[in-house]
């Protein structure tokens, strides 16, 4: 039972263009969402987060959008750079019921490839 | 400086053996976690632990046990290793259970 879904296993984008990574969730109790970036043979690195009281959070080239009614979030990277090539994981947490002590629920990841 | 470190990075062992993976964080965080990334690439929580409480994912076999000698360390001990235990194991930490988690580099365990 996948509570967090990333339906695109991979995405190829040209350098300089916008990369849009999508994530859907089914658990309406989730109220905190995160994106992690992962290079091969390394652990996930925190990128950006958003709480359910917001619909947008921006940090430099990275913006996360949250649509609670659709249970959908997306990560926009603009402009895309070669170093952005990595696997991106969407994760969610239910802070209201005790927080991340139950751990984060991760999607399966999307492999982003930035082409020169 | 490495914030969350794990040793070893690679671990190859025979079925039936007992092994441990060490995790240390120098962030001063109160809560630590172990995740397992299986062959289908899903990252799933196994344990979360702070000095007050251990929360165990009910799907984790009791052959797995976390041991915390102090707040900065949460080691994962595995008894009677099975083929299905082969995976990458990630340690993580956060300031509080409600905060962003920071991950270690992972330990690839291969059981032969």
């Amino acid at each position: 039972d996948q509570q967090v879904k990333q339906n695109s296993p991979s995405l190829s984008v040209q350098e300089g263009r916008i990369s849009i990574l999508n994530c859907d969730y089914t658990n309406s109790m989730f109220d905190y969402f995160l994106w992690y970036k992962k290079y091969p043979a390394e652990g996930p690195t925190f990128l950006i987060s958003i709480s359910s009281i917001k619909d947008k959070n921006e940090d430099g080239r990275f913006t996360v959008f949250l649509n609670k009614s659709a249970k959908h979030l997306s990560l926009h990277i603009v402009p895309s750079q070669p170093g952005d090539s990595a696997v991106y994981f969407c994760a969610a947490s239910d802070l209201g019921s005790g927080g991340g002590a139950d751990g984060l629920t991760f999607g399966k990841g999307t492999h982003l490839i930035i082409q020169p | 400086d490495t914030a969350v470190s794990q040793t070893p990075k690679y671990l190859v062992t025979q079925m039936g053996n007992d092994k441990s993976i060490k995790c240390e964080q120098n962030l001063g965080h109160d809560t630590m976690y172990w995740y397992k990334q299986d062959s289908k690439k899903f990252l799933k929580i196994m344990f979360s632990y702070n000095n007050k409480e251990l929360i165990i994912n009910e799907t984790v076999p009791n052959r797995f046990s976390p041991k915390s000698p102090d707040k900065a360390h949460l080691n994962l001990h595995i008894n009677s290793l099975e083929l299905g235990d082969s995976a990458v194991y990630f340690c993580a930490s956060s300031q509080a259970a409600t905060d962003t988690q920071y991950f270690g580099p992972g330990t690839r365990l291969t059981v032969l």
Side-chain angles (χ1 to χ4, degrees):
Chain A
D1 165 23
Q2 281 181 252
Q3 297 188 65
V4 177
K5 299 178 187 179
Q6 293 177 257
N7 291 321
S8 299
S10 68
L11 175 66
S12 185
V13 174
Q14 229 172 356
E15 182 179 356
R17 302 269 179 135
I18 184 171
S19 295
I20 300 176
L21 296 103
N22 293 304
C23 178
D24 296 293
Y25 61 96
T26 57
N27 187 342
S28 57
M29 300 301 291
F30 286 145
D31 53 11
Y32 185 60
F33 304 90
L34 309 91
W35 283 95
Y36 282 83
K37 176 180 178 180
K38 185 180 180 303
Y39 293 118
E42 294 183 12
T45 303
F46 170 72
L47 203 54
I48 193 168
S49 64
I50 188 167
S51 99
S52 59
I53 61 173
K54 294 185 173 182
D55 53 19
K56 177 182 173 181
N57 189 25
E58 191 172 350
D59 183 3
R61 295 186 299 114
F62 303 92
T63 303
V64 56
F65 295 93
L66 174 62
N67 182 334
K68 282 176 299 212
S69 60
K71 294 192 179 70
H72 177 85
L73 64 153
S74 61
L75 174 68
H76 292 210
I77 306 173
V78 56
S80 301
Q81 298 174 354
D84 295 331
S85 294
V87 177
Y88 289 78
F89 289 96
C90 173
S93 180
D94 174 9
L95 297 184
S97 73
D102 291 336
L104 297 172
T105 301
F106 281 85
K108 210 170 173 178
T110 296
H111 185 193
L112 177 64
I113 303 161
I114 305 301
Q115 296 187 336
Chain B
D1 284 342
T2 304
V4 182
S5 60
Q6 296 177 229
T7 53
K9 191 164 178 65
Y10 300 96
L11 180 55
V12 181
T13 188
Q14 300 285 336
M15 277 178 57
N17 284 349
D18 301 339
K19 289 293 179 186
S20 292
I21 305 172
K22 295 184 178 180
C23 177
E24 176 181 1
Q25 54 94 5
N26 63 7
L27 298 166
H29 287 168
D30 292 324
T31 307
M32 296 183 72
Y33 312 81
W34 276 103
Y35 286 82
K36 177 181 179 181
Q37 185 177 32
D38 60 24
S39 57
K40 296 180 181 177
K41 304 302 181 186
F42 278 109
L43 265 163
K44 292 183 180 175
I45 184 71
M46 300 177 71
F47 306 99
S48 70
Y49 182 81
N50 64 23
N51 57 6
K52 299 173 186 174
E53 191 177 15
L54 171 66
I55 297 176
I56 303 171
N57 183 318
E58 60 189 14
T59 66
V60 175
N62 58 14
R63 296 181 295 103
F64 289 79
S65 57
K67 299 186 191 304
S68 180
D70 55 59
K71 198 174 92 164
H73 296 83
L74 184 67
N75 303 324
L76 182 64
H77 191 76
I78 316 168
N79 288 329
S80 304
L81 278 155
E82 299 178 358
L83 292 176
D85 298 333
S86 295
V88 181
Y89 292 84
F90 289 98
C91 176
S93 72
S94 64
Q95 180 57 43
T98 55
D99 286 345
T100 299
Q101 296 177 22
Y102 294 87
F103 284 77
T107 295
R108 180 173 292 279
L109 171 65
T110 303
V111 182
L112 303 174

